[in-house]
Amino acid sequence: MEFLRHAYRRLAELARELAKFGTIGAVAFVIDTGGTNLLRFGLDWGPLTSKVIATIVAATFAYLGNRYWTFRHREQSGLAREYFLFFLLNGIGLLISLLVIGFVTYTLGLQDALSYNIALLTGTALGTLFRFWSYKKWVFLPGTPPAEAVPGAPPAPPAAPNGQVNGHMFPLSKTSEENAPPPGPR
C-alpha cells in the first residue's frame, strides 16, 4: 500500500511540474513564435536569424519562470551553473529547430509563411521534448527529500547538541542540562 501512495505522490508531482512547465512554455512559445514571425515577416530578417533572436528572448523568460516557479522546490546548484546549462541545452533545442527550418527553407526551397511556420512549430515541438527531459536531468536537480518521506528509511536523527541542523547553525539559548532543576535538597 505504501508503494501505491509513493507512486501516486510521484505521479502527482510530475503532473504539477508538467502543468507549470507547460504554462511557462506556452508564454515562451508566444514570445518565440510571435517574435520570430515579427522579425522574419515584419522586419524582413533572415529565417534563421529571426529564430535565434526570438529564442534568446523566450529562453531568458523561460529560465526565470522555470527556476522560480516550475522547479523552485528543486535544489539550486548555483545560478551560474544552472544558467550556463540551461542556455547550453536551449542551444541544442534551438539547433533542432534551426535544422528543421533550414531543411524546409533551403533544401526544400519553401519560402512562404505557412511552410516556415510549420517548420517552426515542428522544430519547437521536438526541441521542447528534449528541453523538458534535459532540464530535469541536468539543470533543475531534485532536492534531497526528508528522511521520513522516503519509505522504509530510518527516522531522522535528533538535532545536534551544538544547534546545527542540516548544515545551518541555530543558536540555542539553553542546553538540556541548563533546563534541568537545580540539584539540592527538596
Side-chain angles (χ1 to χ4, degrees):
M1 193 62 158
E2 185 62 31
F3 170 76
L4 290 176
R5 279 191 213 120
H6 181 69
Y8 176 77
R9 278 185 292 226
R10 295 273 304 147
L11 186 60
E13 179 183 321
L14 180 62
R16 280 189 300 276
E17 281 183 351
L18 279 170
K20 289 178 178 182
F21 183 80
T23 301
I24 294 297
V27 175
F29 173 80
V30 169
I31 293 169
D32 186 20
T33 306
T36 301
N37 276 288
L38 173 68
L39 296 172
R40 174 74 178 109
F41 300 108
L43 300 177
D44 203 29
W45 288 15
L48 302 181
T49 303
S50 299
K51 176 64 177 164
V52 170
I53 300 298
T55 296
I56 290 170
V57 173
T60 301
F61 167 80
Y63 173 78
L64 295 172
N66 283 312
R67 163 43 50 219
Y68 296 107
W69 189 47
T70 306
F71 299 115
R72 73 173 174 236
H73 62 284
R74 290 178 168 258
E75 194 169 297
Q76 292 190 16
S77 57
L79 183 62
R81 177 197 168 281
E82 282 182 3
Y83 191 78
F84 172 76
L85 282 175
F86 186 86
F87 279 92
L88 175 69
L89 298 172
N90 263 288
I92 295 169
L94 174 60
L95 180 61
I96 293 168
S97 289
L98 292 176
L99 289 171
V100 174
I101 292 169
F103 177 76
V104 168
T105 303
Y106 299 115
T107 304
L108 298 181
L110 301 173
Q111 302 284 330
D112 61 291
L114 179 62
S115 298
Y116 183 78
N117 277 289
I118 290 172
L120 178 66
L121 294 174
T122 303
T124 299
L126 294 172
T128 299
L129 291 173
F130 168 77
R131 284 189 301 272
F132 180 73
W133 170 78
S134 64
Y135 292 169
K136 286 182 59 114
K137 181 149 180 78
W138 292 306
V139 180
F140 304 117
L141 304 174
T144 307
E148 64 271 3
V150 178
N162 66 356
Q164 185 175 3
V165 178
N166 293 336
H168 300 284
M169 292 297 292
F170 294 97
L172 300 176
S173 58
K174 294 184 177 182
T175 65
S176 58
E177 291 81 26
E178 292 171 321
N179 286 331
R186 295 192 186 231

PDB file of all heavy atoms in Angstrom, residues 143-165:
ATOM      1  N   GLY A 143      15.599  17.929  -5.194  1.00  0.00           N
ATOM      2  CA  GLY A 143      16.048  18.228  -3.841  1.00  0.00           C
ATOM      3  C   GLY A 143      16.182  16.946  -3.043  1.00  0.00           C
ATOM      4  O   GLY A 143      15.646  15.909  -3.407  1.00  0.00           O
ATOM      5  N   THR A 144      16.895  17.013  -1.948  1.00  0.00           N
ATOM      6  CA  THR A 144      17.041  15.857  -1.084  1.00  0.00           C
ATOM      7  C   THR A 144      15.793  15.763  -0.218  1.00  0.00           C
ATOM      8  O   THR A 144      15.510  16.684   0.545  1.00  0.00           O
ATOM      9  CB  THR A 144      18.286  15.994  -0.189  1.00  0.00           C
ATOM     10  OG1 THR A 144      19.397  16.271  -1.031  1.00  0.00           O
ATOM     11  CG2 THR A 144      18.524  14.752   0.624  1.00  0.00           C
ATOM     12  N   PRO A 145      15.020  14.663  -0.338  1.00  0.00           N
ATOM     13  CA  PRO A 145      13.795  14.568   0.446  1.00  0.00           C
ATOM     14  C   PRO A 145      14.118  14.334   1.909  1.00  0.00           C
ATOM     15  O   PRO A 145      15.152  13.752   2.239  1.00  0.00           O
ATOM     16  CB  PRO A 145      13.076  13.346  -0.144  1.00  0.00           C
ATOM     17  CG  PRO A 145      14.175  12.518  -0.720  1.00  0.00           C
ATOM     18  CD  PRO A 145      15.237  13.481  -1.158  1.00  0.00           C
ATOM     19  N   PRO A 146      13.244  14.790   2.818  1.00  0.00           N
ATOM     20  CA  PRO A 146      13.463  14.493   4.222  1.00  0.00           C
ATOM     21  C   PRO A 146      13.401  12.989   4.451  1.00  0.00           C
ATOM     22  O   PRO A 146      12.710  12.277   3.731  1.00  0.00           O
ATOM     23  CB  PRO A 146      12.328  15.216   4.946  1.00  0.00           C
ATOM     24  CG  PRO A 146      11.381  15.671   3.898  1.00  0.00           C
ATOM     25  CD  PRO A 146      12.070  15.571   2.567  1.00  0.00           C
ATOM     26  N   ALA A 147      14.116  12.513   5.456  1.00  0.00           N
ATOM     27  CA  ALA A 147      14.226  11.071   5.693  1.00  0.00           C
ATOM     28  C   ALA A 147      12.869  10.411   5.906  1.00  0.00           C
ATOM     29  O   ALA A 147      12.637   9.303   5.457  1.00  0.00           O
ATOM     30  CB  ALA A 147      15.131  10.802   6.887  1.00  0.00           C
ATOM     31  N   GLU A 148      11.942  11.099   6.568  1.00  0.00           N
ATOM     32  CA  GLU A 148      10.648  10.468   6.829  1.00  0.00           C
ATOM     33  C   GLU A 148       9.799  10.337   5.571  1.00  0.00           C
ATOM     34  O   GLU A 148       8.834   9.594   5.549  1.00  0.00           O
ATOM     35  CB  GLU A 148       9.870  11.200   7.925  1.00  0.00           C
ATOM     36  CG  GLU A 148       9.475  12.626   7.576  1.00  0.00           C
ATOM     37  CD  GLU A 148      10.542  13.640   7.962  1.00  0.00           C
ATOM     38  OE1 GLU A 148      11.612  13.256   8.451  1.00  0.00           O
ATOM     39  OE2 GLU A 148      10.300  14.839   7.758  1.00  0.00           O
ATOM     40  N   ALA A 149      10.149  11.076   4.505  1.00  0.00           N
ATOM     41  CA  ALA A 149       9.370  10.999   3.273  1.00  0.00           C
ATOM     42  C   ALA A 149       9.751   9.785   2.431  1.00  0.00           C
ATOM     43  O   ALA A 149       9.040   9.420   1.528  1.00  0.00           O
ATOM     44  CB  ALA A 149       9.556  12.264   2.445  1.00  0.00           C
ATOM     45  N   VAL A 150      10.880   9.172   2.727  1.00  0.00           N
ATOM     46  CA  VAL A 150      11.333   8.023   1.958  1.00  0.00           C
ATOM     47  C   VAL A 150      10.822   6.757   2.636  1.00  0.00           C
ATOM     48  O   VAL A 150      11.106   6.522   3.805  1.00  0.00           O
ATOM     49  CB  VAL A 150      12.881   8.003   1.866  1.00  0.00           C
ATOM     50  CG1 VAL A 150      13.346   6.783   1.108  1.00  0.00           C
ATOM     51  CG2 VAL A 150      13.384   9.274   1.238  1.00  0.00           C
ATOM     52  N   PRO A 151      10.037   5.935   1.911  1.00  0.00           N
ATOM     53  CA  PRO A 151       9.509   4.723   2.528  1.00  0.00           C
ATOM     54  C   PRO A 151      10.634   3.808   3.013  1.00  0.00           C
ATOM     55  O   PRO A 151      11.601   3.564   2.316  1.00  0.00           O
ATOM     56  CB  PRO A 151       8.722   4.044   1.405  1.00  0.00           C
ATOM     57  CG  PRO A 151       8.492   5.104   0.386  1.00  0.00           C
ATOM     58  CD  PRO A 151       9.600   6.087   0.543  1.00  0.00           C
ATOM     59  N   GLY A 152      10.517   3.347   4.244  1.00  0.00           N
ATOM     60  CA  GLY A 152      11.468   2.392   4.805  1.00  0.00           C
ATOM     61  C   GLY A 152      12.746   3.021   5.319  1.00  0.00           C
ATOM     62  O   GLY A 152      13.632   2.325   5.795  1.00  0.00           O
ATOM     63  N   ALA A 153      12.879   4.347   5.239  1.00  0.00           N
ATOM     64  CA  ALA A 153      14.095   4.999   5.713  1.00  0.00           C
ATOM     65  C   ALA A 153      14.049   5.132   7.227  1.00  0.00           C
ATOM     66  O   ALA A 153      12.979   5.254   7.816  1.00  0.00           O
ATOM     67  CB  ALA A 153      14.231   6.376   5.073  1.00  0.00           C
ATOM     68  N   PRO A 154      15.206   5.118   7.881  1.00  0.00           N
ATOM     69  CA  PRO A 154      15.225   5.289   9.336  1.00  0.00           C
ATOM     70  C   PRO A 154      14.786   6.697   9.697  1.00  0.00           C
ATOM     71  O   PRO A 154      14.901   7.619   8.888  1.00  0.00           O
ATOM     72  CB  PRO A 154      16.694   5.051   9.707  1.00  0.00           C
ATOM     73  CG  PRO A 154      17.459   5.330   8.458  1.00  0.00           C
ATOM     74  CD  PRO A 154      16.539   4.958   7.325  1.00  0.00           C
ATOM     75  N   PRO A 155      14.285   6.902  10.906  1.00  0.00           N
ATOM     76  CA  PRO A 155      13.863   8.246  11.305  1.00  0.00           C
ATOM     77  C   PRO A 155      15.049   9.206  11.330  1.00  0.00           C
ATOM     78  O   PRO A 155      16.191   8.795  11.485  1.00  0.00           O
ATOM     79  CB  PRO A 155      13.275   8.042  12.708  1.00  0.00           C
ATOM     80  CG  PRO A 155      13.822   6.731  13.171  1.00  0.00           C
ATOM     81  CD  PRO A 155      14.118   5.919  11.950  1.00  0.00           C
ATOM     82  N   ALA A 156      14.759  10.472  11.175  1.00  0.00           N
ATOM     83  CA  ALA A 156      15.806  11.487  11.166  1.00  0.00           C
ATOM     84  C   ALA A 156      16.474  11.542  12.533  1.00  0.00           C
ATOM     85  O   ALA A 156      15.805  11.414  13.560  1.00  0.00           O
ATOM     86  CB  ALA A 156      15.207  12.848  10.823  1.00  0.00           C
ATOM     87  N   PRO A 157      17.790  11.756  12.562  1.00  0.00           N
ATOM     88  CA  PRO A 157      18.480  11.853  13.847  1.00  0.00           C
ATOM     89  C   PRO A 157      18.078  13.133  14.561  1.00  0.00           C
ATOM     90  O   PRO A 157      17.697  14.116  13.927  1.00  0.00           O
ATOM     91  CB  PRO A 157      19.963  11.878  13.455  1.00  0.00           C
ATOM     92  CG  PRO A 157      19.981  12.369  12.048  1.00  0.00           C
ATOM     93  CD  PRO A 157      18.693  11.902  11.435  1.00  0.00           C
ATOM     94  N   PRO A 158      18.184  13.148  15.890  1.00  0.00           N
ATOM     95  CA  PRO A 158      17.846  14.370  16.624  1.00  0.00           C
ATOM     96  C   PRO A 158      18.840  15.478  16.286  1.00  0.00           C
ATOM     97  O   PRO A 158      19.933  15.226  15.799  1.00  0.00           O
ATOM     98  CB  PRO A 158      17.962  13.953  18.092  1.00  0.00           C
ATOM     99  CG  PRO A 158      18.819  12.735  18.085  1.00  0.00           C
ATOM    100  CD  PRO A 158      18.614  12.068  16.753  1.00  0.00           C
ATOM    101  N   ALA A 159      18.443  16.697  16.555  1.00  0.00           N
ATOM    102  CA  ALA A 159      19.298  17.837  16.257  1.00  0.00           C
ATOM    103  C   ALA A 159      20.607  17.721  17.023  1.00  0.00           C
ATOM    104  O   ALA A 159      20.649  17.222  18.138  1.00  0.00           O
ATOM    105  CB  ALA A 159      18.589  19.135  16.651  1.00  0.00           C
ATOM    106  N   ALA A 160      21.660  18.171  16.395  1.00  0.00           N
ATOM    107  CA  ALA A 160      22.970  18.124  17.033  1.00  0.00           C
ATOM    108  C   ALA A 160      22.975  19.043  18.250  1.00  0.00           C
ATOM    109  O   ALA A 160      22.326  20.080  18.259  1.00  0.00           O
ATOM    110  CB  ALA A 160      24.027  18.567  16.034  1.00  0.00           C
ATOM    111  N   PRO A 161      23.726  18.681  19.295  1.00  0.00           N
ATOM    112  CA  PRO A 161      23.720  19.489  20.507  1.00  0.00           C
ATOM    113  C   PRO A 161      24.246  20.905  20.298  1.00  0.00           C
ATOM    114  O   PRO A 161      23.930  21.786  21.047  1.00  0.00           O
ATOM    115  CB  PRO A 161      24.615  18.718  21.482  1.00  0.00           C
ATOM    116  CG  PRO A 161      25.285  17.653  20.697  1.00  0.00           C
ATOM    117  CD  PRO A 161      24.538  17.489  19.419  1.00  0.00           C
ATOM    118  N   ASN A 162      25.028  21.119  19.261  1.00  0.00           N
ATOM    119  CA  ASN A 162      25.557  22.466  19.043  1.00  0.00           C
ATOM    120  C   ASN A 162      24.572  23.361  18.292  1.00  0.00           C
ATOM    121  O   ASN A 162      24.916  24.470  17.948  1.00  0.00           O
ATOM    122  CB  ASN A 162      26.891  22.403  18.302  1.00  0.00           C
ATOM    123  CG  ASN A 162      26.746  21.861  16.895  1.00  0.00           C
ATOM    124  OD1 ASN A 162      25.668  21.464  16.465  1.00  0.00           O
ATOM    125  ND2 ASN A 162      27.848  21.843  16.162  1.00  0.00           N
ATOM    126  N   GLY A 163      23.376  22.886  18.027  1.00  0.00           N
ATOM    127  CA  GLY A 163      22.371  23.693  17.353  1.00  0.00           C
ATOM    128  C   GLY A 163      22.489  23.668  15.845  1.00  0.00           C
ATOM    129  O   GLY A 163      21.921  24.498  15.171  1.00  0.00           O
ATOM    130  N   GLN A 164      23.213  22.709  15.307  1.00  0.00           N
ATOM    131  CA  GLN A 164      23.367  22.631  13.860  1.00  0.00           C
ATOM    132  C   GLN A 164      22.381  21.600  13.316  1.00  0.00           C
ATOM    133  O   GLN A 164      22.354  20.466  13.749  1.00  0.00           O
ATOM    134  CB  GLN A 164      24.788  22.230  13.502  1.00  0.00           C
ATOM    135  CG  GLN A 164      25.038  22.261  12.021  1.00  0.00           C
ATOM    136  CD  GLN A 164      26.496  21.986  11.698  1.00  0.00           C
ATOM    137  OE1 GLN A 164      27.287  21.721  12.572  1.00  0.00           O
ATOM    138  NE2 GLN A 164      26.827  22.052  10.436  1.00  0.00           N
ATOM    139  N   VAL A 165      21.551  22.031  12.361  1.00  0.00           N
ATOM    140  CA  VAL A 165      20.578  21.158  11.727  1.00  0.00           C
ATOM    141  C   VAL A 165      20.712  21.341  10.223  1.00  0.00           C
ATOM    142  O   VAL A 165      20.617  22.460   9.726  1.00  0.00           O
ATOM    143  CB  VAL A 165      19.137  21.484  12.181  1.00  0.00           C
ATOM    144  CG1 VAL A 165      18.134  20.603  11.468  1.00  0.00           C
ATOM    145  CG2 VAL A 165      19.002  21.337  13.686  1.00  0.00           C
TER     146      VAL A 165
END
